[in-house]
Amino acid sequence: MPGNVGNAAPSATLPAGLCALFTRKEDYPVMRNEFASGDSVRGLLGSSTRNGWQQTRRGVPVETEALRDFYEARSGPLEAFYFVDEFGVTKTVRFATEWSQVLRLGRGEVSFELVQLA
């Protein structure tokens, strides 16, 4: 059917050496309608949470370059990939944010977020 979007088709896995020190987030997607009277109606948009992971990492230039290469190979937040979470479960994710990097002498600090797709 025209206009339908297919499921994500991951083609790579984020290397385990670059997967350290993530902060896990869980989001309950909620629909909220507010009325002029101040009342509101809320409803859950799904049957489960939407997981995400955030990382701010200081690394040596070789690690930062490897992570940047992986990010660019996925076209940033465009392409899905596999990520093995802290419980050893493989998830289909994509980058949720743009690349952010702070350069310091001898080390770079990189921060980004991943969001679970399926």
Side-chain angles (χ1 to χ4, degrees), residues 13-43:
T13 302
L14 184 62
L18 302 176
C19 295
L21 301 174
F22 277 94
T23 302
R24 182 186 174 113
K25 300 182 338 177
E26 290 186 16
D27 182 27
Y28 289 90
V30 175
M31 174 184 62
R32 189 169 95 191
N33 290 326
E34 294 195 20
F35 302 98
S37 65
D39 293 336
S40 67
V41 176
R42 297 182 178 139

Side-chain angles (χ1 to χ4, degrees), residues 10-84:
S11 61
T13 302
L14 184 62
L18 302 176
C19 295
L21 301 174
F22 277 94
T23 302
R24 182 186 174 113
K25 300 182 338 177
E26 290 186 16
D27 182 27
Y28 289 90
V30 175
M31 174 184 62
R32 189 169 95 191
N33 290 326
E34 294 195 20
F35 302 98
S37 65
D39 293 336
S40 67
V41 176
R42 297 182 178 139
L44 196 58
L45 288 175
S47 60
S48 64
T49 63
R50 185 170 190 185
N51 295 323
W53 295 266
Q54 183 176 10
Q55 178 183 36
T56 299
R57 178 185 179 128
R58 287 187 182 150
V60 294
V62 173
E63 293 173 342
T64 302
E65 186 177 329
L67 191 53
R68 176 67 185 206
D69 289 345
F70 186 84
Y71 179 86
E72 287 178 350
R74 310 283 80 72
S75 300
L78 184 65
E79 186 181 309
F81 56 93
Y82 294 115
F83 168 72
V84 180

Side-chain angles (χ1 to χ4, degrees), residues 19 36 38 46 73 95 104:
C19 295
F95 288 103
R104 303 183 193 285

